[in-house]
Coordinates of all heavy atoms in Angstrom, one line a residue:
Q366 N 6.1 8.7 -23.6 CA 5.4 8.0 -22.5 C 4.7 8.9 -21.5 O 3.6 8.7 -21.1 CB 6.4 6.9 -21.7 CG 6.9 5.9 -22.6 CD 8.1 5.2 -22.0 OE1 8.5 5.4 -20.9 NE2 8.7 4.2 -22.7
T367 N 5.4 9.9 -21.0 CA 4.9 10.8 -20.2 C 3.8 11.6 -20.6 O 2.7 11.8 -20.0 CB 6.0 11.7 -19.6 OG1 7.2 11.0 -19.1 CG2 5.5 12.6 -18.5
V368 N 3.9 12.0 -21.9 CA 2.8 12.8 -22.6 C 1.6 11.9 -22.7 O 0.5 12.6 -22.6 CB 3.4 13.3 -24.0 CG1 2.2 14.0 -24.8 CG2 4.4 14.4 -23.8
A369 N 1.8 10.6 -23.0 CA 0.6 9.7 -23.3 C -0.3 9.7 -21.9 O -1.4 9.5 -22.1 CB 1.1 8.4 -23.7
E370 N 0.4 9.9 -20.8 CA -0.4 9.9 -19.6 C -1.0 11.3 -19.3 O -2.0 11.6 -18.9 CB 0.5 9.4 -18.3 CG -0.4 9.4 -17.1 CD 0.3 8.8 -16.0 OE1 1.5 9.0 -15.8 OE2 -0.2 8.0 -15.2
A371 N -0.1 12.3 -19.5 CA -0.5 13.7 -19.1 C -1.7 14.2 -20.0 O -2.6 14.9 -19.4 CB 0.7 14.6 -19.2
L372 N -1.7 13.8 -21.3 CA -2.8 14.3 -22.1 C -4.2 14.1 -21.5 O -5.2 14.9 -21.4 CB -2.7 13.7 -23.5 CG -1.8 14.3 -24.4 CD1 -1.6 13.5 -25.7 CD2 -2.0 15.8 -24.7
A373 N -4.4 12.8 -21.0 CA -5.7 12.4 -20.5 C -5.9 13.1 -19.0 O -7.0 13.3 -18.7 CB -6.0 11.0 -20.3
M374 N -5.0 13.4 -18.4 CA -5.1 14.0 -17.2 C -5.6 15.3 -17.2 O -6.2 15.9 -16.5 CB -3.9 13.9 -16.3 CG -3.5 12.5 -15.9 SD -1.9 12.2 -15.1 CE -2.1 12.9 -13.6
V375 N -5.0 16.1 -18.3 CA -5.5 17.5 -18.7 C -7.0 17.4 -19.2 O -7.8 18.0 -18.7 CB -4.6 18.0 -19.7 CG1 -5.1 19.5 -20.1 CG2 -3.2 18.3 -19.2
G376 N -7.1 16.5 -20.2 CA -8.5 16.1 -20.6 C -9.1 16.9 -21.6 O -10.2 16.5 -22.2
T377 N -8.6 18.1 -21.7 CA -9.4 19.1 -22.6 C -8.5 20.0 -23.5 O -7.4 20.3 -22.8 CB -10.4 19.9 -21.7 OG1 -11.2 20.8 -22.5 CG2 -9.7 20.8 -20.7
P378 N -8.7 20.4 -24.5 CA -9.8 20.0 -25.3 C -9.9 18.6 -25.8 O -8.8 18.1 -26.2 CB -9.7 20.9 -26.7 CG -8.7 21.9 -26.3 CD -7.8 21.2 -25.2
A379 N -11.0 18.0 -25.5 CA -11.2 16.6 -25.6 C -10.8 15.9 -27.0 O -10.2 14.8 -27.1 CB -12.5 16.1 -25.2
D380 N -11.2 16.7 -28.0 CA -10.9 16.1 -29.3 C -9.4 16.2 -29.6 O -8.9 15.1 -30.4 CB -11.7 17.0 -30.5 CG -11.3 18.4 -30.4 OD1 -10.8 19.0 -29.3 OD2 -11.6 19.1 -31.3
Q381 N -8.7 17.1 -29.3 CA -7.2 17.2 -29.4 C -6.6 16.1 -28.6 O -5.7 15.4 -29.1 CB -6.7 18.5 -29.0 CG -7.2 19.8 -30.0 CD -6.5 21.1 -29.6 OE1 -5.4 21.2 -29.2 NE2 -7.4 22.1 -29.7
V382 N -7.1 15.9 -27.4 CA -6.5 14.9 -26.5 C -6.7 13.6 -27.2 O -5.7 12.7 -27.1 CB -7.1 15.1 -25.1 CG1 -6.8 13.8 -24.4 CG2 -6.6 16.3 -24.3
V383 N -7.9 13.3 -27.7 CA -8.1 12.0 -28.2 C -7.3 11.6 -29.4 O -6.9 10.6 -29.6 CB -9.6 11.9 -28.4 CG1 -9.9 10.6 -29.2 CG2 -10.4 11.8 -27.1
D384 N -7.2 12.8 -30.2 CA -6.5 12.6 -31.4 C -5.0 12.3 -31.1 O -4.3 11.5 -31.6 CB -6.3 13.9 -32.3 CG -7.7 14.0 -33.0 OD1 -8.6 13.1 -33.2 OD2 -8.0 15.2 -33.5
G385 N -4.4 12.9 -30.0 CA -3.2 12.6 -29.7 C -3.0 11.2 -29.1 O -2.0 10.6 -29.4
L386 N -4.0 10.7 -28.3 CA -3.8 9.4 -27.8 C -4.0 8.2 -28.9 O -3.6 7.1 -28.7 CB -4.9 9.3 -26.7 CG -4.7 10.0 -25.5 CD1 -5.8 9.9 -24.5 CD2 -3.3 9.6 -24.8
I387 N -4.8 8.6 -29.8 CA -4.9 7.8 -31.0 C -3.5 7.4 -31.6 O -3.2 6.4 -32.1 CB -6.0 8.3 -32.1 CG1 -7.3 8.0 -31.5 CG2 -5.7 7.6 -33.5 CD1 -8.5 8.7 -32.3
R388 N -2.8 8.6 -31.8 CA -1.4 8.6 -32.3 C -0.6 7.7 -31.3 O 0.3 6.9 -31.9 CB -0.8 9.9 -32.4 CG -1.3 10.8 -33.6 CD -0.7 12.3 -33.5 NE 0.8 12.1 -33.7 CZ 1.5 13.2 -33.7 NH1 1.0 14.4 -33.4 NH2 2.8 13.0 -33.7
C389 N -0.8 7.9 -30.1 CA -0.1 7.0 -29.1 C -0.3 5.5 -29.3 O 0.6 4.6 -29.1 CB -0.3 7.5 -27.7 SG 0.2 9.1 -27.3
L390 N -1.6 5.2 -29.6 CA -1.9 3.7 -29.9 C -1.1 3.2 -31.1 O -0.9 2.0 -31.1 CB -3.4 3.5 -30.1 CG -4.3 3.7 -28.9 CD1 -5.7 3.6 -29.4 CD2 -3.9 2.5 -27.8
K391 N -0.6 4.0 -31.9 CA 0.2 3.6 -33.2 C 1.6 3.6 -32.8 O 2.4 3.3 -33.8 CB -0.3 4.4 -34.3 CG -1.7 4.6 -34.6 CD -2.1 5.5 -35.7 CE -3.5 5.6 -36.1 NZ -3.7 6.6 -37.1
D392 N 2.0 4.2 -31.7 CA 3.5 4.4 -31.5 C 4.3 3.1 -31.6 O 3.8 1.9 -31.1 CB 3.6 5.1 -30.1 CG 5.1 5.7 -29.8 OD1 6.0 5.0 -29.7 OD2 5.1 6.9 -30.0
E393 N 5.4 3.2 -32.0 CA 6.3 2.0 -32.2 C 6.8 1.4 -30.7 O 7.2 0.2 -30.6 CB 7.6 2.2 -33.0 CG 8.6 3.2 -32.2 CD 9.8 3.5 -33.1 OE1 9.8 3.2 -34.3 OE2 10.8 4.1 -32.6
D394 N 6.7 2.4 -29.8 CA 7.2 1.8 -28.5 C 5.9 1.2 -27.6 O 4.8 1.8 -27.6 CB 7.7 3.0 -27.5 CG 7.9 2.6 -26.2 OD1 8.9 2.0 -26.0 OD2 7.3 3.1 -25.3
V395 N 6.2 0.0 -27.2 CA 5.1 -0.8 -26.6 C 4.4 -0.1 -25.2 O 3.2 -0.1 -25.1 CB 5.4 -2.2 -26.2 CG1 6.5 -2.3 -25.3 CG2 4.2 -3.1 -25.8
Q396 N 5.4 0.6 -24.5 CA 4.9 1.3 -23.4 C 4.1 2.6 -23.6 O 3.1 2.7 -22.9 CB 6.1 1.6 -22.5 CG 5.6 2.0 -21.1 CD 6.9 2.1 -20.1 OE1 8.0 1.6 -20.4 NE2 6.6 2.5 -18.9
V397 N 4.4 3.3 -24.6 CA 3.6 4.3 -25.1 C 2.1 3.8 -25.4 O 0.9 4.4 -25.0 CB 4.1 5.0 -26.3 CG1 3.1 6.1 -26.8 CG2 5.3 5.7 -25.9
R398 N 2.1 2.6 -26.2 CA 0.7 2.1 -26.5 C 0.0 1.7 -25.1 O -1.3 1.7 -25.1 CB 0.9 0.9 -27.4 CG 1.5 1.3 -28.7 CD 1.4 0.4 -29.9 NE 1.8 -1.0 -29.6 CZ 3.1 -1.4 -29.6 NH1 4.1 -0.7 -30.0 NH2 3.4 -2.8 -29.3
F399 N 0.9 1.0 -24.4 CA 0.3 0.4 -22.9 C -0.4 1.7 -22.3 O -1.5 1.5 -21.8 CB 1.6 -0.1 -22.2 CG 1.5 -0.3 -20.8 CD1 1.1 -1.5 -20.2 CD2 1.6 0.7 -19.9 CE1 1.1 -1.7 -18.9 CE2 1.5 0.5 -18.5 CZ 1.3 -0.9 -18.0
I400 N 0.3 2.8 -22.1 CA -0.1 3.9 -21.4 C -1.4 4.6 -22.1 O -2.3 5.0 -21.4 CB 0.9 5.0 -21.1 CG1 2.0 4.4 -20.4 CG2 0.4 6.3 -20.7 CD1 3.3 5.2 -20.3
A401 N -1.4 4.6 -23.4 CA -2.5 5.1 -24.3 C -3.9 4.5 -23.9 O -4.8 5.3 -23.8 CB -2.2 5.1 -25.7
G402 N -3.8 3.3 -23.8 CA -5.1 2.5 -23.4 C -5.6 3.0 -22.1 O -6.8 3.2 -21.9
L403 N -4.6 3.0 -21.1 CA -5.2 3.4 -19.8 C -5.6 4.9 -20.0 O -6.6 5.2 -19.2 CB -4.0 3.4 -18.9 CG -3.6 1.9 -18.4 CD1 -2.3 1.9 -17.5 CD2 -4.7 1.2 -17.6
S404 N -5.0 5.7 -20.5 CA -5.3 7.1 -20.7 C -6.8 7.3 -21.4 O -7.6 8.0 -20.9 CB -4.4 8.0 -21.5 OG -3.1 8.1 -20.8
L405 N -7.0 6.4 -22.3 CA -8.3 6.5 -23.1 C -9.5 6.1 -22.0 O -10.6 6.6 -22.2 CB -8.4 5.7 -24.3 CG -7.6 6.4 -25.5 CD1 -7.2 5.3 -26.5 CD2 -8.3 7.4 -26.0
C406 N -9.1 5.2 -21.0 CA -10.1 4.9 -20.0 C -10.6 6.1 -19.2 O -11.7 6.3 -18.9 CB -9.5 4.0 -19.0 SG -9.1 2.3 -19.7
R407 N -9.7 7.2 -19.1 CA -10.1 8.4 -18.5 C -10.8 9.4 -19.2 O -11.3 10.3 -18.8 CB -8.7 9.1 -18.0 CG -8.0 8.3 -17.0 CD -6.6 8.9 -16.6 NE -6.1 8.2 -15.3 CZ -4.8 8.0 -15.1 NH1 -3.8 8.7 -16.0 NH2 -4.3 7.5 -14.1
M408 N -11.0 9.0 -20.6 CA -11.6 10.1 -21.5 C -13.2 9.7 -21.6 O -13.9 10.6 -22.2 CB -11.0 10.0 -22.8 CG -9.5 10.7 -22.9 SD -9.4 12.3 -22.0 CE -10.4 13.3 -23.2
G409 N -13.5 8.5 -21.3 CA -15.0 8.2 -21.5 C -15.5 8.2 -22.8 O -14.7 8.0 -23.8
A410 N -16.8 8.5 -23.1 CA -17.4 8.6 -24.2 C -16.8 9.6 -25.2 O -16.9 9.3 -26.5 CB -18.9 8.9 -24.0
A411 N -16.1 10.5 -24.7 CA -15.5 11.6 -25.5 C -14.5 10.9 -26.5 O -14.0 11.5 -27.3 CB -14.8 12.6 -24.8
A412 N -13.9 9.7 -26.1 CA -13.0 9.1 -26.9 C -13.5 8.0 -28.0 O -12.7 7.1 -28.4 CB -11.9 8.2 -26.0

Side-chain angles (χ1 to χ4, degrees):
Q366 292 164 5
T367 306
V368 169
E370 180 172 46
L372 280 171
M374 292 169 71
V375 176
T377 184
D380 57 341
Q381 295 181 37
V382 168
V383 172
D384 285 347
L386 293 175
I387 291 171
R388 288 179 60 183
C389 291
L390 285 175
K391 303 174 185 177
D392 198 282
E393 65 179 15
D394 179 67
V395 65
Q396 194 169 347
V397 175
R398 303 196 303 274
F399 163 98
I400 295 169
L403 289 174
S404 290
L405 285 163
C406 294
R407 292 174 169 152
M408 297 304 296

